[in-house]
C-alpha cells in the first residue's frame, strides 16, 4: 500500500482528513450528554496539557517519571494521575511502592497514584522482573512508602480523571495497556459514554513495524521475535485500546524509533557532568547503576524506551512518524506483533514512529530534567 510520511507540520491536516474519511458522526454522538469544554476563556495555567502517566515501573519508566515530574513542576504539563500496571516488569506492591517513593523524592507526594493487580495474557520473565526490582530497590533506600494497593483501582482512577477534567487529557502508556483497556471495559460496564472524547492524545510505547522485535530470556523458543514486550504482554488490551480511540491522535513509539536512542557511555558522562536538579540527579544515578552500566559496556541492547515517549509529548521532531493502519496479532508465534494491515482487516490509524533523532532526544531529555522552576 502507499504510505504517507507525516511531518510535524502536516500531521494535523492529515489526521483531520483521516477522521473525516472514517466518519466523524460517531464521536459527535458519544459526546451528546457529557460536554467536552472548548478551551475558550482559559488562563495560562489551564494551557498546560493534563496528563495521565500509565506505566509498569521498569527502570526506564522510572526515568520517564522523573522527566514528567520535572515538566510538571516547571509548569509545562499538569500531571493529574500516575497509574501502575502489574502486567509488565513491575512486581505487584513493589511497583506502586517505587512510584510513591519517587514522587515523594521529587516533591510530588500529592499527585494521585493508583495501581491494578490485573495481569496480562503473557507474564514477563521472572529474571527481568527481579532484576529491575533490585535496581529500583537500590535506587530508593530508606523510603517507607506503602506497598498496599491504591484505594481506588487504576482503571477507576483513569475514568475519574478523564470524566472530571475540564479539558481533554493526554494519556502516556509506557507499559502493557492492561490498565487503559481495563478502564475502557469498566466504563462500558458502568453504562458510561466512550472515554475517547475525553482524551486528546494517546502515546503508546511498544511495537515494531519494519525492524525485529525483541523478546528474550527463553521466549525466543516460542515466539518469532516480531513483537516487543509491551503489546506481547497483553495483545488483547493493545487492540482494545486502538479500537476504542479510533478517532483519537494515537502515537506508537516502538523499536523502529527507540533503536535510535541507545543508552551511551558518552551520554552517561554528560549526565554525570550536567545533572543539576533532583530529577536529573536521580536519572544520573539510575543510569550509573551497575546493572545498567554493565549492560551498556557489554553491548547489550538497552535503550531509553519510556523517556523517548515522554520527550515526544513536548518536543517536535524528536520522533519521525508515518500514518499507518495497525492491528495487533492476538495468538500464535507472532502474538503481540504490530502489523500494518488494511482497514478491512481491522487496521487502526496511528502515527507510528519509524525513526528518532538521537541528538535532539538527548538534548531535550537532559534539558527537560534540568528545566528551571519559575
Amino acid at each position: 500500500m502507499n504510505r504517507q510520511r507525516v511531518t510535524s507540520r502536516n500531521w494535523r491536516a492529515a489526521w483531520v482528513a483521516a477522521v473525516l474519511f472514517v466518519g466523524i458522526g460517531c464521536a459527535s454522538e458519544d459526546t451528546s450528554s457529557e460536554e467536552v469544554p472548548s478551551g475558550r476563556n482559559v488562563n495560562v495555567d489551564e494551557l498546560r496539557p493534563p496528563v495521565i502517566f500509565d506505566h509498569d515501573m521498569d527502570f526506564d519508566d522510572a526515568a520517564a517519571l522523573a522527566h514528567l515530574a520535572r515538566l510538571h513542576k516547571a509548569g509545562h504539563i499538569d500531571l493529574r494521575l500516575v497509574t501502575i500496571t502489574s502486567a509488565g516488569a513491575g512486581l505487584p506492591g513493589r511497583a506502586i511502592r517505587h512510584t510513591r517513593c519517587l514522587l515523594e523524592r521529587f516533591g510530588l507526594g500529592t499527585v494521585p497514584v493508583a495501581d491494578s493487580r490485573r495481569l496480562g495474557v503473557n507474564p514477563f520473565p521472572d529474571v527481568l522482573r527481579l532484576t529491575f526490582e533490585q535496581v529500583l530497590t537500590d535506587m530508593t533506600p530508606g523510603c517507607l512508602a506503602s506497598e498496599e494497593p491504591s484505594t481506588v483501582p487504576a482503571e477507576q482512577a483513569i475514568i475519574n480523571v478523564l470524566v472530571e477534567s475540564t479539558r481533554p487529557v493526554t494519556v502516556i502508556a509506557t507499559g502493557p495497556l492492561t490498565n487503559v483497556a481495563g478502564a475502557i471495559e469498566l466504563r462500558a460496564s458502568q453504562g458510561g459514554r466512550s472515554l475517547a472524547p475525553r482524551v486528546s492524545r494517546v502515546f503508546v510505547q511498544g511495537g515494531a513495524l519494519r525492524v525485529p522485535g525483541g523478546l528474550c530470556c527463553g521466549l525466543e523458543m516460542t515466539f518469532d521475535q516480531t513483537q516487543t514486550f509491551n503489546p506481547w504482554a497483553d495483545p488483547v488490551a493493545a487492540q482494545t485500546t486502538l479500537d476504542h480511540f479510533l478517532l483519537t491522535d494515537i502515537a506508537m513509539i516502538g523499536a523502529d524509533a527507540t533503536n535510535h536512542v541507545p543508552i551511551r557511555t558518552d551520554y552517561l558522562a554528560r549526565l554525570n557532568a550536567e545533572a543539576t536538579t533532583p530529577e536529573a540527579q536521580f536519572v544520573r544515578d539510575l543510569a550509573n547503576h551497575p546493572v545498567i552500566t554493565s549492560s551498556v559496556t557489554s553491548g547489550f541492547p538497552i535503550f531509553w524506551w519510556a523517556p523517548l515517549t515522554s520527550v515526544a509529548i513536548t518536543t517536535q521532531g524528536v520522533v519521525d512518524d508515518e500514518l499507518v493502519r495497525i492491528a495487533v496479532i492476538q495468538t500464535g508465534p507472532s502474538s503481540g506483533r504490530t502489523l500494518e494491515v488494511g482497514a478491512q482487516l481491522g487496521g487502526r490509524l496511528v502515527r507510528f514512529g519509524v525513526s528518532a533523532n538521537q541528538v535532539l532526544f538527548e538534548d531535550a531529555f537532559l534539558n527537560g530534567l534540568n528545566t528551571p522552576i519559575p
Side-chain angles (χ1 to χ4, degrees), residues 99-167:
T99 300
R100 288 166 171 156
C101 289
L102 292 182
L103 288 173
E104 289 176 4
R105 176 171 176 169
F106 303 145
L108 296 179
T110 59
V111 171
V113 177
D115 67 344
S116 171
R117 305 302 168 96
R118 175 175 171 175
L119 301 178
V121 174
N122 298 307
F124 268 51
D126 286 342
V127 65
L128 289 183
R129 303 187 91 186
L130 295 174
T131 297
F132 294 126
E133 162 59 26
Q134 186 61 58
V135 170
L136 292 164
T137 297
D138 292 344
M139 294 304 303
T140 53
C143 177
L144 301 178
S146 173
E147 297 183 16
E148 291 298 313
S150 56
T151 303
V152 178
E155 299 90 342
Q156 185 62 57
I158 291 171
I159 293 172
N160 292 348
V161 168
L162 293 179
V163 171
E164 294 168 7
S165 177
T166 59
R167 291 174 293 138

Side-chain angles (χ1 to χ4, degrees), residues 4 25-26 59 63 115 133 136 183 186 214 268 275:
Q4 178 181 0
C26 296
F59 83 91
D115 67 344
E133 162 59 26
L136 292 164
L186 180 59
L268 296 184

Side-chain angles (χ1 to χ4, degrees), residues 162-186:
L162 293 179
V163 171
E164 294 168 7
S165 177
T166 59
R167 291 174 293 138
V169 176
T170 295
V171 175
I172 305 170
T174 58
L177 289 162
T178 310
N179 285 347
V180 178
I184 293 167
E185 294 164 1
L186 180 59

Side-chain angles (χ1 to χ4, degrees), residues 2-34:
N2 292 327
R3 299 185 178 95
Q4 178 181 0
R5 181 169 292 275
V6 181
T7 67
S8 59
R9 294 182 178 179
N10 68 15
W11 157 246
R12 292 295 174 188
W15 186 257
V16 169
V19 167
L20 292 175
F21 179 76
V22 297
I24 196 65
C26 296
S28 299
E29 183 178 354
D30 275 343
T31 60
S32 60
S33 66
E34 290 182 355

Side-chain angles (χ1 to χ4, degrees), residues 258-264 267 296 302-304 358 361-362:
T258 58
N259 284 353
H260 293 271
V261 290
I263 299 178
R264 304 185 304 114
Y267 192 59
V296 172
I302 186 167
F303 303 91
W304 294 111
Q358 181 185 54
F361 163 76
E362 291 180 346

Side-chain angles (χ1 to χ4, degrees), residues 16 37 56-57 66 85 113 118 145 164 167 177 207-208 213-215 249 252 254 263 287 298 338 343 363:
V16 169
D56 65 340
M57 193 39 79
T85 174
V113 177
R118 175 175 171 175
E164 294 168 7
R167 291 174 293 138
L177 289 162
L215 303 184
D249 178 355
M252 294 192 75
I263 299 178
S298 64
T338 48
D363 288 344

